């Protein structure tokens, strides 16, 4: 029987460890999603103060250019919050953990005396800590995750805060309460969302 290195497309385990699900699982928030409150205050406070200042100036002086500035500030604030909650509420690429450890086919392994083994008496595991797998003709060493009970595919790391393995894991962002991981191709995303490109250019100029 062959060892299953990577998870099936369909979840077999669970990714609900400390996570919060809304709208039937369409939004997945991290275990520290409460930090969004602080982030929202830090974004919304100055934005609201600026909009109130514009309103006062309009009531006092009524210059024409105050109206577009007020509308622009309001729209940018709405976009900020939209992107914030979309980033915080989307699946960063969590790999569902196995319910049971994978089965080992000893005929496929090069077992030596120096092989490091997974040492877990509770689960009675008899698996090598690392394995060499061929991906696109290239031999890649993959490591076993004791928590998720799976061999982590390339560019997958285990987040100690979310307690899940995440594809293309970069870091866990406390400001959005979510892992920054699988996001697809940057060029593809930019081609599908011209507004984001405009905002990137705008922010670069502003900075």
């Amino acid at each position: 029987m062959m060892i299953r290195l990577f998870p099936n497309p369909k979840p077999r385990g669970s990714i609900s460890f400390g996570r919060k699900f809304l709208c039937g699982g369409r939004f997945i928030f991290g275990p520290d999603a409460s930090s969004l409150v602080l982030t929202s205050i830090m974004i919304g406070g100055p934005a609201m103060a600026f909009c109130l200042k514009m309103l006062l100036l309009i009531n006092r002086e009524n210059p024409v250019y105050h109206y577009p500035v007020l509308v622009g500030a309001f729209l940018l604030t709405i976009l900020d919050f939209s992107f914030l909650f979309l980033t915080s509420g989307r699946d960063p690429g969590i790999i569902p953990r196995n319910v049971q450890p994978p089965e080992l086919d000893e005929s496929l392994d090069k077992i030596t005396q120096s092989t490091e083994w997974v040492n877990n008496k509770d689960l009675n595991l008899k698996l090598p800590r690392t394995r060499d797998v061929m991906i696109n003709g290239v031999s890649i060493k993959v490591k076993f995750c004791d928590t998720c009970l799976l061999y982590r595919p390339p560019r997958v790391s285990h987040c100690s805060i979310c307690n899940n393995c995440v594809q293309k894991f970069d870091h866990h962002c406390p400001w959005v309460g979510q892992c920054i991981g699988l996001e697809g191709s940057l060029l593809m995303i930019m081609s599908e969302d011209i507004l984001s490109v405009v905002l990137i250019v705008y922010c670069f100029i502003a900075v």
Side-chain angles (χ1 to χ4, degrees):
M1 184 177 294
M2 294 183 63
I3 183 172
R4 191 178 299 281
L5 293 177
F6 307 140
N8 288 329
K10 295 182 179 179
R12 296 150 298 157
S14 174
I15 59 173
S16 61
F17 298 91
R19 294 194 161 267
K20 303 169 181 64
F21 297 87
L22 296 177
C23 300
R26 291 180 177 84
F27 293 95
I28 305 176
F29 292 92
D32 53 347
S34 56
S35 61
L36 278 175
V37 176
L38 176 61
T39 306
S40 300
I41 293 174
M42 295 178 67
I43 294 176
M48 290 179 61
F50 181 80
C51 291
L52 288 174
K53 179 67 175 180
M54 288 295 102
L55 286 174
L56 292 175
L57 289 176
I58 289 174
N59 293 333
R60 241 187 281 166
E61 305 172 8
N62 199 27
V64 178
Y65 67 85
H66 281 169
Y67 288 102
V69 171
L70 177 61
V71 173
F74 181 76
L75 290 177
L76 285 175
T77 303
I78 296 298
L79 287 173
D80 283 341
F81 279 107
S82 298
F83 294 144
L84 172 65
F85 286 104
L86 283 175
T87 302
S88 178
R90 289 191 296 181
D91 182 3
I94 298 173
I95 298 180
R97 61 183 60 183
N98 284 330
V99 178
Q100 297 178 348
E103 297 180 2
L104 176 65
D105 183 1
E106 295 185 1
S107 64
L108 298 178
D109 286 287
K110 295 181 180 179
I111 306 300
T112 64
Q113 292 182 351
S114 61
T115 300
E116 183 182 357
W117 293 86
V118 176
N119 186 16
N120 191 321
K121 296 181 180 179
D122 295 333
L123 297 175
N124 193 25
L125 294 182
K126 294 182 179 179
L127 296 169
R129 176 67 61 184
T130 60
R131 288 195 55 134
D132 292 324
V133 296
M134 296 295 294
I135 299 179
N136 295 330
V138 179
S139 179
I140 298 177
K141 189 179 293 295
V142 295
K143 296 182 179 180
F144 185 80
C145 177
D146 299 87
T147 304
C148 299
L149 300 179
L150 53 84
Y151 283 95
R152 294 197 295 258
R155 298 191 65 185
V156 171
S157 295
H158 189 89
C159 176
S160 59
I161 298 175
C162 293
N163 201 24
N164 281 304
C165 284
V166 179
Q167 300 180 60
K168 295 185 179 180
F169 178 79
D170 186 271
H171 68 284
H172 183 93
C173 180
W175 300 108
V176 300
Q178 183 67 283
C179 291
I180 306 301
L182 184 66
E183 295 177 349
S185 170
L186 179 60
L187 293 177
M188 182 181 66
I189 294 174
M190 292 174 65
S191 64
E192 294 177 352
D193 192 353
I194 303 300
L195 179 59
S196 295
V197 179
V198 174
L199 288 174
I200 291 173
V201 176
Y202 169 80
C203 291
F204 177 78
I205 296 174
V207 171

